Amino acid sequence: MAKISINLKDGTAKKEDTLIVGIDLGTTNSLVAYMNDGKPVAVKNKKNQNTLVPSIIHFLPNGQKLVGNDAREKLRTDPANTIYSVKRLMGKSYNDLSAVSEYLGYEVLDDDTESLVKIRVGDTFYTPVELSANILSALKNTVESALNQAVSKAVITVPAYFNDAQRQATRDAGKLAGLEVLRIVNEPTAASLAYGLGLEEEEAKLIAVYDLGGGTFDISILQIHDGIFEVLSTNGDTFLGGDDIDRLLIDYWLKINGRDQQDFIVDKKKGQELRLIAERAKKTLSSQLLFKERYDGMNCQIAREVFDQLIEPLINRTLDKCKSALKDAGKTISDIQHVVMVGGSTRIPHIKESVSNFFQQPLFDELNPDEVVALGAAVQADILAGNQKGMLLLDITPLSLGIETVGGLMDAIIPRNSKVPSRAARQYTTSVDGQVNLKVAVYQGERDQIANNRKLGEFILKGIPPMPAGLPKIEIIFAIDADGILRVTARELRSGVEQEIEIKSQYGISEEDMAKMLMDSITNAEADLKIRSLLEARNEANNVVLATQKFLEQNDQILSDDEKNKTRALAESLKASINGEDKDLINKAMADLNDYTTPIAHRAMDVHVADAMRGTNLKDK
Ligand code: AMP
């Protein structure tokens, strides 16, 4: 039965919260949805419009904050105090952001290149967790006033590739905003649920979820069978999305108007203004064939056809990732039965067309691509509330789980990306004659040394009968249930002596552990970040090598032999650096190649633009 509580401040009555809402905490926009008469709906305002909340925070001089649309207005007038794309900063170091920070209108603090980013606003430093909490509070207020009901429980979605630290950071942001986060759900799982995929018990289905948002691209291959969701593989690019399309447009206009990019970097207000015009142009072109505007003496004009050619390389990058994801899942295009489109950028007609051609089938794109994740989160919330019996959602473990062995080394028992629930066992023995106790310390992480991983807990298996070293057979069993709770059991098989602990590794932490876990996750994020940065640098370098090959092929007529040879040589050194362990070396080789090819690329671009102006089709080149 619903209880009523009275708000003593304004005298209004609020129903006690029985509702669990679904929240899509997005890079560009965030949204809340809830179940209404068995159907997920996005929260609407009094005018029955969607309350998509731009994920933007503005700090007023008096220290107060504006969130959402009001903050968006300030992007133009006060960019230094207006923060957007916070999700990109979750768990990232300054180093990882150096390539894009010049495009951010606000200041990312550069105190130590390997440490996690903080954002400086005036004299105050904010963490991405605090900033995300501001967005979540605004969403909480929106849904509470729309429904006139207190809301304190939520399901929040995250990209499937988010590591444990990033998931934990999202959970912490929820907690800071006064929300009990019942579950962190993968975005592609939520999107599929919004379309009702997997809600009916039927034969196994393979689904591709193509998610092109404002800042990120994700492709996920999901398998649903008997109402169970399993992420077979994920791929994507954390720096590819609508923002990049805006940037392509800006670069195009600067080029055709003969303007210097530096003017717009130095004058941040002007830069932001141009960014907003580019976004407007892009959206206009989703329904019209031409966009025309003037700004700062520039002709900001573009036709759909030219735009389509401009974004072709970006679309191809996403399709390359789709190929990799299929390969990782051990599947081919013909295995995929459904393709779900997510994210505002999938409104672009040329993207829809290209994805549909790639997967050789019609798309699931009828729902609003900005809402689909939140709607699915509401469905998941409903399942958690017990309203849809028999549904179980599976995730993958984002990090390996294992124990400490001799020399402080990590022995992974359940490797990362294993399905949940999962169970694995391994046998160990003693190293000292007559040893009667054995310490079992459980860790999570990808590093070889446990010191670099996160400790989840430990216990001591006592009462092993004294035997010569190497004789006892100690079996250690790791079992993770569907809620992500890890149970570790150690058993001496000859005597039957047994000990067990339960660890909530991913879902739910007690209030007391909150502060400690937050510190832990920050520490480990840094450690994991190093590996991740190397992998990311390798990834990017592979893309650059491929792009260079394409560039050489496409511009064969324009480049001199000397330029071709030098470009090839630099691409070769980049290729050689990819196999090494030094991310700085890879980045340096990438920068060398980039420095050398940028002026040539500009020259080639001039030729192409001149051709395009004359009406020649770039694709025909
Ligand atoms: P999301 O992160 O999913 O909220 O994606 C928002 C992105 O979608 C931003 O880059 C928007 O500029 C872009 N977007 C929104 N509407 C459209 C549209 N009609 N056509 C093209 N892009 C759009």
Side-chain angles (χ1 to χ4, degrees), residues 34 40 43 60 116 120 127 140 157 199 239 247 254-255 277 286 289 375 403 431 433 452 484 498 525 552 589 608 616:
Y34 62 99
V43 173
L60 292 164
L116 290 178
R120 183 194 179 122
T127 62
K140 183 173 181 287
T157 59
L199 290 179
F239 289 106
R247 226 168 278 151
L254 292 175
K255 195 93 240 164
I277 297 174
S286 287
L289 295 176
L375 295 178
I403 60 162
S431 52
D433 284 343
N452 295 320
E498 186 178 305
L552 284 171
H608 289 298
T616 324

mmCIF file of all heavy atoms in Angstrom, residues 34 40 43 60 116 120 127 140 157 199 239 247 254-255 277 286 289 375 403 431 433 452 484 498 525 552 589 608 616:
data_model
loop_
_atom_site.group_PDB
_atom_site.id
_atom_site.type_symbol
_atom_site.label_atom_id
_atom_site.label_comp_id
_atom_site.label_asym_id
_atom_site.label_seq_id
_atom_site.Cartn_x
_atom_site.Cartn_y
_atom_site.Cartn_z
ATOM 1 N N TYR A 34 9.797 5.453 -16.700
ATOM 2 C CA TYR A 34 9.167 4.620 -15.678
ATOM 3 C C TYR A 34 8.060 3.811 -16.334
ATOM 4 O O TYR A 34 7.680 4.074 -17.479
ATOM 5 C CB TYR A 34 8.608 5.498 -14.543
ATOM 6 C CG TYR A 34 7.544 6.457 -15.004
ATOM 7 C CD1 TYR A 34 6.195 6.157 -14.834
ATOM 8 C CD2 TYR A 34 7.887 7.641 -15.651
ATOM 9 C CE1 TYR A 34 5.216 7.029 -15.292
ATOM 10 C CE2 TYR A 34 6.918 8.507 -16.119
ATOM 11 C CZ TYR A 34 5.584 8.194 -15.933
ATOM 12 O OH TYR A 34 4.619 9.051 -16.415
ATOM 13 N N PRO A 40 6.744 1.130 -20.761
ATOM 14 C CA PRO A 40 7.724 2.136 -20.362
ATOM 15 C C PRO A 40 7.453 3.467 -21.056
ATOM 16 O O PRO A 40 7.172 3.490 -22.256
ATOM 17 C CB PRO A 40 9.059 1.548 -20.855
ATOM 18 C CG PRO A 40 8.693 0.661 -21.994
ATOM 19 C CD PRO A 40 7.300 0.158 -21.720
ATOM 20 N N VAL A 43 9.688 10.424 -19.020
ATOM 21 C CA VAL A 43 9.021 11.461 -18.234
ATOM 22 C C VAL A 43 8.735 12.667 -19.121
ATOM 23 O O VAL A 43 9.585 13.110 -19.880
ATOM 24 C CB VAL A 43 9.920 11.877 -17.045
ATOM 25 C CG1 VAL A 43 9.330 13.069 -16.321
ATOM 26 C CG2 VAL A 43 10.093 10.710 -16.100
ATOM 27 N N LEU A 60 27.074 29.134 -11.523
ATOM 28 C CA LEU A 60 26.841 30.582 -11.463
ATOM 29 C C LEU A 60 27.885 31.213 -10.549
ATOM 30 O O LEU A 60 28.470 30.521 -9.704
ATOM 31 C CB LEU A 60 25.431 30.834 -10.901
ATOM 32 C CG LEU A 60 24.280 30.398 -11.822
ATOM 33 C CD1 LEU A 60 22.978 30.323 -11.037
ATOM 34 C CD2 LEU A 60 24.149 31.361 -12.992
ATOM 35 N N LEU A 116 43.706 10.930 -12.202
ATOM 36 C CA LEU A 116 42.354 11.061 -12.745
ATOM 37 C C LEU A 116 41.975 12.522 -12.902
ATOM 38 O O LEU A 116 42.380 13.354 -12.103
ATOM 39 C CB LEU A 116 41.359 10.369 -11.802
ATOM 40 C CG LEU A 116 41.449 8.855 -11.765
ATOM 41 C CD1 LEU A 116 40.446 8.290 -10.773
ATOM 42 C CD2 LEU A 116 41.204 8.259 -13.141
ATOM 43 N N ARG A 120 38.193 22.145 -13.212
ATOM 44 C CA ARG A 120 38.299 23.352 -12.409
ATOM 45 C C ARG A 120 37.242 24.351 -12.841
ATOM 46 O O ARG A 120 37.112 24.670 -14.016
ATOM 47 C CB ARG A 120 39.682 23.951 -12.620
ATOM 48 C CG ARG A 120 39.921 25.166 -11.786
ATOM 49 C CD ARG A 120 41.146 25.886 -12.284
ATOM 50 N NE ARG A 120 41.320 27.062 -11.455
ATOM 51 C CZ ARG A 120 42.395 27.308 -10.750
ATOM 52 N NH1 ARG A 120 43.420 26.507 -10.817
ATOM 53 N NH2 ARG A 120 42.467 28.383 -10.005
ATOM 54 N N THR A 127 35.085 16.416 -9.273
ATOM 55 C CA THR A 127 35.350 15.117 -9.902
ATOM 56 C C THR A 127 34.172 14.805 -10.828
ATOM 57 O O THR A 127 33.058 15.299 -10.617
ATOM 58 C CB THR A 127 35.431 13.996 -8.855
ATOM 59 O OG1 THR A 127 34.159 13.916 -8.207
ATOM 60 C CG2 THR A 127 36.512 14.271 -7.830
ATOM 61 N N LYS A 140 16.218 13.323 -10.905
ATOM 62 C CA LYS A 140 15.379 12.893 -9.784
ATOM 63 C C LYS A 140 14.294 13.943 -9.537
ATOM 64 O O LYS A 140 13.119 13.614 -9.401
ATOM 65 C CB LYS A 140 16.278 12.726 -8.551
ATOM 66 C CG LYS A 140 15.602 12.218 -7.301
ATOM 67 C CD LYS A 140 16.675 11.944 -6.244
ATOM 68 C CE LYS A 140 16.126 11.404 -4.951
ATOM 69 N NZ LYS A 140 15.423 12.345 -4.123
ATOM 70 N N THR A 157 21.890 3.017 -16.447
ATOM 71 C CA THR A 157 22.582 2.285 -17.510
ATOM 72 C C THR A 157 23.993 2.829 -17.731
ATOM 73 O O THR A 157 24.258 4.002 -17.505
ATOM 74 C CB THR A 157 21.810 2.386 -18.836
ATOM 75 O OG1 THR A 157 21.687 3.758 -19.185
ATOM 76 C CG2 THR A 157 20.443 1.756 -18.730
ATOM 77 N N LEU A 199 11.722 -10.633 -23.998
ATOM 78 C CA LEU A 199 10.697 -10.711 -22.954
ATOM 79 C C LEU A 199 9.805 -11.936 -23.128
ATOM 80 O O LEU A 199 9.193 -12.407 -22.188
ATOM 81 C CB LEU A 199 9.851 -9.439 -22.936
ATOM 82 C CG LEU A 199 10.579 -8.191 -22.430
ATOM 83 C CD1 LEU A 199 9.668 -6.981 -22.471
ATOM 84 C CD2 LEU A 199 11.106 -8.395 -21.017
ATOM 85 N N PHE A 239 35.834 7.728 -28.474
ATOM 86 C CA PHE A 239 35.948 9.085 -29.019
ATOM 87 C C PHE A 239 35.407 9.165 -30.435
ATOM 88 O O PHE A 239 36.070 9.632 -31.349
ATOM 89 C CB PHE A 239 37.399 9.566 -28.964
ATOM 90 C CG PHE A 239 37.832 9.835 -27.561
ATOM 91 C CD1 PHE A 239 38.691 8.983 -26.896
ATOM 92 C CD2 PHE A 239 37.336 10.932 -26.889
ATOM 93 C CE1 PHE A 239 39.062 9.225 -25.583
ATOM 94 C CE2 PHE A 239 37.691 11.192 -25.575
ATOM 95 C CZ PHE A 239 38.561 10.333 -24.922
ATOM 96 N N ARG A 247 32.506 18.396 -35.521
ATOM 97 C CA ARG A 247 33.877 18.853 -35.773
ATOM 98 C C ARG A 247 34.227 18.762 -37.262
ATOM 99 O O ARG A 247 34.901 19.630 -37.799
ATOM 100 C CB ARG A 247 34.841 17.980 -34.959
ATOM 101 C CG ARG A 247 35.865 18.810 -34.233
ATOM 102 C CD ARG A 247 36.587 17.967 -33.229
ATOM 103 N NE ARG A 247 35.823 17.830 -32.007
ATOM 104 C CZ ARG A 247 35.892 16.783 -31.188
ATOM 105 N NH1 ARG A 247 36.658 15.765 -31.488
ATOM 106 N NH2 ARG A 247 35.194 16.773 -30.093
ATOM 107 N N LEU A 254 35.697 25.876 -42.058
ATOM 108 C CA LEU A 254 36.935 26.655 -41.919
ATOM 109 C C LEU A 254 37.722 26.591 -43.223
ATOM 110 O O LEU A 254 38.253 27.582 -43.704
ATOM 111 C CB LEU A 254 37.790 26.114 -40.763
ATOM 112 C CG LEU A 254 37.228 26.305 -39.352
ATOM 113 C CD1 LEU A 254 38.111 25.609 -38.329
ATOM 114 C CD2 LEU A 254 37.105 27.787 -39.013
ATOM 115 N N LYS A 255 37.774 25.379 -43.762
ATOM 116 C CA LYS A 255 38.510 25.136 -45.002
ATOM 117 C C LYS A 255 37.937 25.955 -46.160
ATOM 118 O O LYS A 255 38.666 26.710 -46.805
ATOM 119 C CB LYS A 255 38.375 23.636 -45.307
ATOM 120 C CG LYS A 255 39.311 23.094 -46.309
ATOM 121 C CD LYS A 255 40.543 22.549 -45.649
ATOM 122 C CE LYS A 255 41.699 23.323 -46.210
ATOM 123 N NZ LYS A 255 42.911 23.261 -45.538
ATOM 124 N N ILE A 277 26.260 25.874 -34.258
ATOM 125 C CA ILE A 277 25.759 25.994 -35.639
ATOM 126 C C ILE A 277 25.961 24.660 -36.364
ATOM 127 O O ILE A 277 25.080 24.188 -37.080
ATOM 128 C CB ILE A 277 26.479 27.139 -36.401
ATOM 129 C CG1 ILE A 277 26.167 28.477 -35.728
ATOM 130 C CG2 ILE A 277 26.053 27.169 -37.867
ATOM 131 C CD1 ILE A 277 26.925 29.655 -36.301
ATOM 132 N N SER A 286 19.160 15.986 -41.295
ATOM 133 C CA SER A 286 18.483 14.696 -41.108
ATOM 134 C C SER A 286 17.097 14.719 -41.737
ATOM 135 O O SER A 286 16.516 13.677 -41.998
ATOM 136 C CB SER A 286 18.383 14.338 -39.626
ATOM 137 O OG SER A 286 19.649 13.967 -39.148
ATOM 138 N N LEU A 289 17.525 18.880 -47.273
ATOM 139 C CA LEU A 289 18.656 18.609 -48.170
ATOM 140 C C LEU A 289 19.734 19.685 -48.149
ATOM 141 O O LEU A 289 20.827 19.493 -48.678
ATOM 142 C CB LEU A 289 18.151 18.426 -49.610
ATOM 143 C CG LEU A 289 17.251 17.197 -49.798
ATOM 144 C CD1 LEU A 289 16.718 17.126 -51.217
ATOM 145 C CD2 LEU A 289 18.008 15.913 -49.457
ATOM 146 N N LEU A 375 14.011 3.825 -21.651
ATOM 147 C CA LEU A 375 12.789 2.999 -21.657
ATOM 148 C C LEU A 375 13.126 1.574 -21.229
ATOM 149 O O LEU A 375 12.426 0.964 -20.426
ATOM 150 C CB LEU A 375 12.155 2.993 -23.054
ATOM 151 C CG LEU A 375 11.626 4.333 -23.571
ATOM 152 C CD1 LEU A 375 11.072 4.175 -24.983
ATOM 153 C CD2 LEU A 375 10.545 4.892 -22.652
ATOM 154 N N ILE A 403 42.905 -15.136 -7.021
ATOM 155 C CA ILE A 403 43.469 -15.130 -5.672
ATOM 156 C C ILE A 403 44.960 -14.822 -5.720
ATOM 157 O O ILE A 403 45.602 -14.921 -6.765
ATOM 158 C CB ILE A 403 43.245 -16.472 -4.940
ATOM 159 C CG1 ILE A 403 43.908 -17.613 -5.721
ATOM 160 C CG2 ILE A 403 41.790 -16.742 -4.712
ATOM 161 C CD1 ILE A 403 44.103 -18.836 -4.859
ATOM 162 N N SER A 431 52.895 -24.991 0.725
ATOM 163 C CA SER A 431 54.298 -24.855 0.340
ATOM 164 C C SER A 431 55.254 -25.178 1.485
ATOM 165 O O SER A 431 56.455 -25.209 1.307
ATOM 166 C CB SER A 431 54.556 -23.438 -0.173
ATOM 167 O OG SER A 431 54.095 -22.504 0.782
ATOM 168 N N ASP A 433 55.992 -27.833 4.968
ATOM 169 C CA ASP A 433 55.623 -29.082 5.654
ATOM 170 C C ASP A 433 54.777 -28.772 6.879
ATOM 171 O O ASP A 433 55.070 -27.833 7.627
ATOM 172 C CB ASP A 433 56.890 -29.829 6.127
ATOM 173 C CG ASP A 433 57.590 -30.516 4.960
ATOM 174 O OD1 ASP A 433 56.951 -30.691 3.901
ATOM 175 O OD2 ASP A 433 58.781 -30.855 5.113
ATOM 176 N N ASN A 452 48.610 -4.350 -7.478
ATOM 177 C CA ASN A 452 48.015 -3.408 -8.425
ATOM 178 C C ASN A 452 46.534 -3.657 -8.657
ATOM 179 O O ASN A 452 45.889 -2.941 -9.408
ATOM 180 C CB ASN A 452 48.745 -3.485 -9.765
ATOM 181 C CG ASN A 452 50.173 -3.029 -9.645
ATOM 182 O OD1 ASN A 452 50.439 -2.065 -8.939
ATOM 183 N ND2 ASN A 452 51.085 -3.730 -10.297
ATOM 184 N N GLY A 484 25.602 -10.894 -9.408
ATOM 185 C CA GLY A 484 26.993 -10.449 -9.388
ATOM 186 C C GLY A 484 27.657 -10.671 -8.042
ATOM 187 O O GLY A 484 28.693 -10.094 -7.750
ATOM 188 N N GLU A 498 36.463 -27.067 5.292
ATOM 189 C CA GLU A 498 35.919 -26.132 4.305
ATOM 190 C C GLU A 498 35.671 -24.750 4.911
ATOM 191 O O GLU A 498 35.385 -24.630 6.087
ATOM 192 C CB GLU A 498 34.602 -26.716 3.781
ATOM 193 C CG GLU A 498 34.010 -25.927 2.650
ATOM 194 C CD GLU A 498 32.732 -26.582 2.126
ATOM 195 O OE1 GLU A 498 32.775 -27.771 1.752
ATOM 196 O OE2 GLU A 498 31.697 -25.890 2.110
ATOM 197 N N ALA A 525 41.612 2.355 -10.699
ATOM 198 C CA ALA A 525 41.324 2.879 -12.031
ATOM 199 C C ALA A 525 42.621 3.361 -12.650
ATOM 200 O O ALA A 525 42.878 3.163 -13.830
ATOM 201 C CB ALA A 525 40.329 4.018 -11.942
ATOM 202 N N LEU A 552 46.567 6.977 -48.838
ATOM 203 C CA LEU A 552 47.550 6.843 -49.922
ATOM 204 C C LEU A 552 46.866 6.355 -51.205
ATOM 205 O O LEU A 552 47.134 6.859 -52.292
ATOM 206 C CB LEU A 552 48.652 5.866 -49.509
ATOM 207 C CG LEU A 552 49.687 6.424 -48.513
ATOM 208 C CD1 LEU A 552 50.589 5.319 -47.995
ATOM 209 C CD2 LEU A 552 50.526 7.520 -49.160
ATOM 210 N N ALA A 589 54.950 8.014 -32.447
ATOM 211 C CA ALA A 589 54.955 7.598 -33.858
ATOM 212 C C ALA A 589 53.691 8.093 -34.564
ATOM 213 O O ALA A 589 53.731 8.509 -35.719
ATOM 214 C CB ALA A 589 55.064 6.079 -33.954
ATOM 215 N N HIS A 608 39.883 18.093 -53.238
ATOM 216 C CA HIS A 608 38.569 17.439 -53.192
ATOM 217 C C HIS A 608 37.450 18.456 -53.066
ATOM 218 O O HIS A 608 36.409 18.330 -53.701
ATOM 219 C CB HIS A 608 38.508 16.463 -52.012
ATOM 220 C CG HIS A 608 39.360 15.257 -52.223
ATOM 221 N ND1 HIS A 608 39.147 14.373 -53.252
ATOM 222 C CD2 HIS A 608 40.430 14.790 -51.544
ATOM 223 C CE1 HIS A 608 40.056 13.419 -53.195
ATOM 224 N NE2 HIS A 608 40.847 13.652 -52.170
ATOM 225 N N THR A 616 31.744 17.578 -58.720
ATOM 226 C CA THR A 616 32.256 16.226 -58.912
ATOM 227 C C THR A 616 31.996 15.441 -57.631
ATOM 228 O O THR A 616 32.108 15.980 -56.542
ATOM 229 C CB THR A 616 33.787 16.256 -59.142
ATOM 230 O OG1 THR A 616 34.080 17.416 -59.886
ATOM 231 C CG2 THR A 616 34.263 15.013 -59.840
#
